[in-house]
């Protein structure tokens, strides 16, 4: 594999960025500085600023999803979150963990580990998700109490959820399940249709405030470990 592709695969940066770094002399192959982005990496040790880059088995990313993108692998007509990732990541099989609606923004996790993904969204595990919602109508202590009891919806009653009212039109809600349009339906059932919804947290992971809408980064080893723990799994070594 070419050196620039190898480094981009690692999530070190975009293909353009890593090409710049290689030309700037920040990358070594087998300890020897190379400025050739096309250099072959097969079987060679690659270091960036002296740090060894190893191609791990699984890749986990966090993306700050902007509005207007479908959470789907592909779509023949609409843009999907996969369009926000470099080809290297999609080629490695990174897939979204669960779904955010097209107009929902914020933290979306993607992983190559299908078992991890499955367990994180399994209704059995009740992994916490935190959303910030701007609503029409007025949020009141009664709304908070109804969320705490469990909002009855047409086809099921939502599990008790914590609603923190930030102002009369803004609430932060913590839910433990992820059914279709669930948060919007819960607010809607209380007479407060959602105008804007943003996910701030998924299980142990908070949105990185340094990621602007549309930006992504690899999870650190510690973050990936916390995710495996939330899924009740051993992190692969
Ligand atoms: N609940 C919703 O209603 N929409 C989302 O995108 C996520 C949770």
């Amino acid at each position: 594999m070419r050196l620039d592709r190898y480094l981009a695969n690692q999530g070190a940066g975009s293909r353009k960025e890593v090409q710049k770094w290689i030309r700037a002399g920040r990358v070594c192959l087998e300890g020897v500085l190379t400025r050739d982005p096309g250099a072959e990496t097969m079987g060679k040790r690659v270091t960036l600023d002296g740090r060894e880059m190893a191609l791990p088995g699984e890749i986990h990313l966090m993306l700050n999803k902007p509005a207007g993108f479908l959470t789907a692998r592909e779509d023949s007509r609409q843009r999907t979150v996969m369009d926000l990732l470099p080809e290297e990541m999609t080629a490695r099989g990174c897939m979204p963990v669960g779904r955010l609606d097209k107009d929902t923004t914020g933290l979306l996790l993607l992983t190559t580990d299908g078992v991890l993904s499955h367990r994180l969204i399994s209704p059995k595990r009740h992994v916490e998700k935190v959303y910030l919602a701007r609503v029409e109508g007025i949020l009141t202590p009664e709304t908070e109490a109804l969320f705490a009891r469990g909002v009855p919806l047409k086809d099921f009653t939502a599990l008790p959820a914590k609603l923190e009212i930030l102002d009369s039109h803004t609430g932060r809600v913590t839910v433990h399940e992820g059914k279709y349009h669930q948060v919007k339906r819960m607010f809607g059932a209380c007479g407060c249709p959602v105008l804007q919804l943003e996910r701030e947290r998924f299980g142990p992971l908070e949105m990185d405030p340094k990621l602007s809408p549309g930006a992504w980064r690899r999870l650190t080893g510690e973050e990936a470990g916390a995710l495996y723990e939330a899924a009740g799994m051993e992190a692969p070594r």
Side-chain angles (χ1 to χ4, degrees):
M1 188 185 294
R2 293 171 54 101
L3 182 56
D4 53 359
R5 180 150 195 216
Y6 180 92
L7 285 168
N9 269 2
Q10 299 279 320
S14 69
R15 192 83 165 254
K16 278 218 174 97
E17 280 170 331
V18 302
Q19 284 171 353
K20 228 191 292 168
W21 301 340
I22 295 165
R23 293 201 180 97
R26 292 172 57 185
V27 177
C28 291
L29 271 178
E30 289 294 310
V32 179
L33 194 149
T34 176
R35 294 179 194 270
D36 175 11
E40 177 55 53
T41 57
M42 176 73 101
K44 294 193 179 139
R45 203 162 47 85
V46 180
T47 52
L48 168 65
D49 295 332
R51 245 180 337 115
E52 191 152 344
M53 311 296 290
L55 200 63
E58 303 288 359
I59 297 177
H60 318 286
L61 314 177
M62 70 162 68
L63 166 73
N64 187 351
K65 180 191 173 296
F69 287 80
L70 287 185
T71 307
R73 282 176 193 213
E74 55 185 354
D75 191 89
S76 53
R77 283 171 302 148
Q78 302 190 59
R79 295 180 299 181
T80 75
V81 291
M82 306 312 274
D83 295 326
L84 297 163
L85 300 179
E87 198 198 316
E88 289 85 2
M89 288 297 153
T90 50
R92 294 277 307 269
C94 257
M95 289 299 149
V97 178
R99 283 170 47 100
L100 289 178
D101 295 336
K102 186 176 170 186
D103 57 354
T104 301
T105 60
L107 177 59
L108 182 68
L109 297 174
L110 298 104
T111 179
T112 52
D113 188 337
V115 178
L116 173 69
S117 179
H118 184 74
R119 291 184 67 125
L120 286 171
I121 59 176
S122 161
K124 287 191 207 131
R125 295 214 67 83
H126 303 301
V127 173
E128 264 187 14
K129 272 113 8 200
V130 179
Y131 295 87
L132 190 66
R134 268 201 60 75
V135 302
E136 220 178 297
I138 308 285
L139 297 170
T140 63
E142 286 70 45
T143 328
E144 199 178 311
L146 189 52
F147 269 55
R149 280 200 303 275
V151 181
L153 301 169
K154 227 191 213 161
D155 44 343
F156 73 104
T157 297
L159 288 176
K162 181 170 164 234
L163 174 63
E164 182 191 352
I165 299 177
L166 303 179
D167 66 48
S168 52
H169 298 293
T170 315
R172 177 172 287 122
V173 61
T174 306
V175 294
H176 300 85
E177 55 193 342
K179 300 213 171 73
Y180 188 58
H181 291 330
Q182 174 151 356
V183 173
K184 289 177 184 165
R185 290 176 66 197
M186 286 164 69
F187 279 105
C190 302
C192 297
V194 169
L195 299 172
Q196 270 177 20
L197 192 62
E198 177 188 349
R199 183 153 69 194
E200 297 183 322
R201 183 156 70 79
F202 188 115
L205 299 191
E206 304 235 3
M207 183 71 237
D208 182 339
K210 288 198 229 70
L211 290 180
S212 51
W216 61 277
R217 70 160 170 80
R218 291 277 294 268
L219 296 189
T220 63
E222 206 175 310
E223 288 170 335
L227 215 50
Y228 276 100
E229 196 178 323
M233 293 169 74
E234 283 260 326
R237 319 183 100 244

